[in-house]
Amino acid sequence: MSLTDIAIALFIVLLLLYAMYDQFIQDRLKGPTLLKVKLKRRHRIDSLIFVALLAILLYRNLVNQGAPLTNWLLISLALVAIYLAYIRWPTLLFKTQGFFYANAFIAYSRIKAMNLTEDGILVIALEQRRLLIQVTQLDDLQNIYNFFIENQNIRT
């Protein structure tokens, strides 16, 4: 097993651990999930470019009669990348003390202001940055609004 194969296998393991954390563990952290909202997928073209580059590497390895293990590892890495970019949905998880956005937990006490743009993007202003939240269905914005109204006593 070459150093390249070890590096590819390490990336596959890390991406699979991230996928398991995102799908199964994050939902159970910081208490029960009170509201789960699907977000729009982003960076799809970047993932397509990454998979295309992996396909080029696979082709070059096949032409140069490289190790079959490398071929399988490249295919596996491409499948994991496709899963993460095109099959898995990013979600916004509301908990009792805060919410998970982009795998980061944000306490409700950090929210300074919330606005809604004309395009249907929820802007949450924190101390030093703004979160731009794009939901897949506009009805989810109403669900988020209702959640904040019903659970105001949680945030204070």
Side-chain angles (χ1 to χ4, degrees):
M1 183 176 240
S2 69
L3 183 62
T4 302
D5 292 341
I6 293 170
I8 294 171
L10 180 66
F11 283 122
I12 291 170
V13 168
L14 290 175
L15 285 173
L16 286 174
L17 287 173
Y18 165 74
M20 288 175 47
Y21 169 77
D22 189 51
Q23 288 294 121
F24 304 113
I25 297 171
Q26 191 174 6
D27 198 26
R28 290 165 177 72
L29 291 177
K30 306 279 186 181
T33 300
L34 303 176
L35 179 64
K36 188 174 188 176
V37 177
K38 285 185 180 180
L39 302 175
K40 283 189 179 178
R41 292 182 174 133
R42 300 183 332 202
H43 310 295
R44 296 176 97 183
I45 193 72
D46 295 336
S47 299
L48 181 65
I49 291 169
F50 180 68
V51 171
L53 289 172
L54 289 175
I56 291 169
L57 287 173
L58 179 64
Y59 173 76
R60 293 298 302 160
N61 196 46
L62 288 171
V63 168
N64 293 335
Q65 297 177 353
L69 177 62
T70 305
N71 296 336
W72 288 108
L73 289 173
L74 289 171
I75 291 169
S76 300
L77 185 58
L79 290 175
V80 171
I82 289 169
Y83 169 75
L84 289 174
Y86 296 102
I87 298 172
R88 176 192 66 94
W89 283 94
T91 56
L92 182 64
L93 302 173
F94 288 95
K95 305 289 186 160
T96 55
Q97 300 299 318
F99 61 95
F100 279 99
Y101 175 72
N103 298 319
F105 185 76
I106 299 162
Y108 294 128
S109 60
R110 292 185 56 201
I111 298 175
K112 301 301 178 199
M114 289 178 35
N115 295 313
L116 186 63
T117 67
E118 294 174 1
D119 300 336
I121 298 173
L122 180 64
V123 180
I124 298 178
L126 303 177
E127 298 95 4
Q128 297 179 356
R129 63 181 275 205
R130 294 180 314 158
L131 304 176
L132 303 175
I133 299 173
Q134 290 182 298
V135 296
T136 56
Q137 299 177 5
L138 291 179
D139 294 340
D140 289 335
L141 291 172
Q142 183 67 34
N143 293 339
I144 293 171
Y145 173 77
N146 292 339
F147 172 81
F148 276 111
I149 294 299
E150 292 170 4
N151 297 301
Q152 276 186 339
N153 57 349
I154 291 175
R155 296 186 317 275
T156 57

